[in-house]
Amino acid sequence: MSSDSLPTPTRILQATLTLLEAPGAKLPTMSDIARASGVSRQAVYLHYPSRTDLLVAATRYQDTQNDVDAALAASRNARSGAERLDAFVTAWGNYIPKIYGVARAILAVTDTDPEAAAAWNTRMQDMREGCRAAIRALEDDGTLPPGTDPEQATDLLWTILSVRTWENLTQTCGWSQTCYLDTVRGLALAALAQDVGALTDVLACPDPPA
Amino acid sequence: MSSDSLPTPTRILQATLTLLEAPGAKLPTMSDIARASGVSRQAVYLHYPSRTDLLVAATRYQDTQNDVDAALAASRNARSGAERLDAFVTAWGNYIPKIYGVARAILAVTDTDPEAAAAWNTRMQDMREGCRAAIRALEDDGTLPPGTDPEQATDLLWTILSVRTWENLTQTCGWSQTCYLDTVRGLALAALAQDVGALTDVLACPDPPA
DNA sequence: TAATCAACTTGACACCGTGTCAATTGACAG
DNA sequence: CTGTCAATTGACACGGTGTCAAGTTGATTA
């Protein structure tokens, strides 16, 4: 087994991700994680001094595994601003499901642990850069609505693309991923690229509203 | 003091709301609440068997105090669908800041306590009815984008008007309430009432992006 | 005046999860 | 053989929730 030969910190991270990504799982305790890692509870603390540290390390590890930057960089090749926005929404929207488990765990402790909140914020700041770039491309095209402050447009796009929005539509409302993508893409184009028809035939997915 | 003459359960609820509504406050413990109520910790459990029960009771109490229904009912008088949507967004958007403290506390335990999640969901279901009605008005006007399923349009509006969205824009991004309102109104009109100019000059609030 | 009853208090305790500490084991390297 | 490092074991403190039993207080009723 390759997992036996991996260094302990990595084994712990992988076990953490496995627990976090299990659909509909309860938020794991340190004991759960230790057990799943095949390691004592104290060994976990030996490598990650607190639960928050571990969760943050888990996101970082996950990012290196998934190569976010590569996925998001694809949108840089788009010519028009609208195309770029489209590509960015698609790339990020498809990335969210991969990180949702970890995001959920971090967001859950965010209310009580300011350190976790800070870590998550800087994590999301990177994504915000992508929003910023997409908005700037629209700005160059002159397709932004008249009188729009690019900073606020970035905030809006960033909010539309937030994990919470994804969670609401797919988890609470039961939308499929493709339906989510179509809608959010249409919403972004309609609101920020003045694309009138962007939402035509979009809100019509054959989904059972769970 | 009028608060001395109030029945204990009510005093507890009021103290809870006061703690919850204090800006930037930590989530209060049962001891905090008892102390603020001028009552022993066990007296709290005497009336509310669990923290979740207390929080849920606090929202209900708050709703009766604020008379949500009256505020939201105003939107029923609008003639056109777009006007109705506008009025509803304004009414609900102005209600969110009042309930945010409690909402925050309930949402925080939602991840671990399914009972709290259920209570909050039914709480939000009422609001969803308002979304549904606004969408239906647009449907009657024929202003919904072609090929739109009203149920999904409702989901989308409901998500746009979610507490999380408000939280993201006003708390995290530092937007003013009026800026939030203008933007969300514009977003809803642009996306669901095909109002092309709804976002013109809207994303231009003189706010310091905190 | 005395008994009663409900609301409330006091203080203890169990349970769980986080985080800490100290003593111990086992393997590997010089 | 000895040191060192990683990991284990088992104990403990702390904070928060929730429970329990015994006592207090004050108003009502006999």
Side-chain angles (χ1 to χ4, degrees), chain B residues 8 32 64 102 116 155 167 179 206-207:
Chain B
T8 305
D32 294 333
T64 68
V102 188
D155 287 342
E167 183 180 46
C179 187
D207 286 335

Side-chain angles (χ1 to χ4, degrees), chain B:
Chain B
M1 299 297 127
S2 67
S3 73
D4 277 11
S5 62
L6 285 173
T8 305
T10 310
R11 291 229 317 272
I12 295 172
L13 290 181
Q14 286 191 349
T16 305
L17 290 182
T18 304
L19 289 178
L20 251 21
E21 284 162 3
K26 300 226 65 98
L27 296 174
T29 69
M30 292 299 260
S31 300
D32 294 333
I33 292 166
R35 198 173 318 118
S37 314
V39 115
S40 70
R41 193 170 68 94
Q42 280 60 20
V44 179
Y45 281 103
L46 218 55
H47 298 284
Y48 305 99
S50 78
R51 203 181 119 92
T52 296
D53 286 280
L54 173 55
L55 291 177
V56 171
T59 44
R60 289 203 219 293
Y61 178 69
Q62 194 180 42
D63 281 349
T64 68
Q65 297 291 93
N66 285 326
D67 206 359
V68 216
D69 299 330
L72 296 187
S75 67
R76 273 194 262 280
N77 299 329
R79 285 165 320 217
S80 79
E83 274 176 37
R84 177 161 195 160
L85 178 60
D86 188 313
F88 182 72
V89 169
T90 305
W92 174 254
N94 276 324
Y95 190 57
I96 294 182
K98 297 186 189 167
I99 64 168
Y100 177 60
V102 188
R104 201 172 141 262
I106 293 204
L107 287 170
V109 296
T110 266
D111 301 281
T112 59
D113 188 339
E115 197 178 337
W120 181 252
N121 280 345
T122 65
R123 174 86 175 61
M124 283 303 102
Q125 209 58 24
D126 298 346
M127 189 279 263
R128 198 174 185 282
E129 275 315 302
C131 294
R132 187 122 195 34
I135 294 294
R136 208 175 288 125
L138 290 172
E139 216 179 348
D140 294 345
D141 282 12
T143 39
L144 271 186
T148 296
D149 172 29
E151 213 52 48
Q152 282 182 256
T154 303
D155 287 342
L156 181 58
L157 179 56
W158 185 67
T159 300
I160 289 174
L161 293 182
S162 71
V163 172
R164 293 300 193 185
T165 298
W166 181 89
E167 183 180 46
N168 226 30
L169 291 175
T170 70
Q171 306 302 111
T172 308
C173 296
W175 289 20
S176 70
Q177 171 71 11
T178 61
C179 187
Y180 159 82
L181 268 184
D182 289 346
T183 301
V184 162
R185 187 170 22 228
L187 185 60
L189 287 170
L192 299 165
Q194 296 180 292
D195 183 342
V196 198
L199 274 162
T200 298
D201 288 322
V202 157
L203 288 167
C205 292
D207 286 335

Side-chain angles (χ1 to χ4, degrees), chain A residues 73-129:
Chain A
S75 67
R76 274 194 260 281
N77 299 330
R79 283 164 323 215
S80 79
E83 273 176 38
R84 177 161 195 163
L85 179 60
D86 188 314
F88 182 72
V89 169
T90 305
W92 174 254
N94 276 324
Y95 190 58
I96 294 181
K98 298 185 189 166
I99 64 168
Y100 177 59
V102 188
R104 201 172 141 263
I106 293 205
L107 287 171
V109 296
T110 267
D111 299 282
T112 60
D113 187 339
E115 197 178 338
W120 181 253
N121 281 345
T122 65
R123 174 86 175 62
M124 283 303 103
Q125 209 59 22
D126 297 346
M127 188 278 261
R128 197 172 184 284
E129 274 316 300

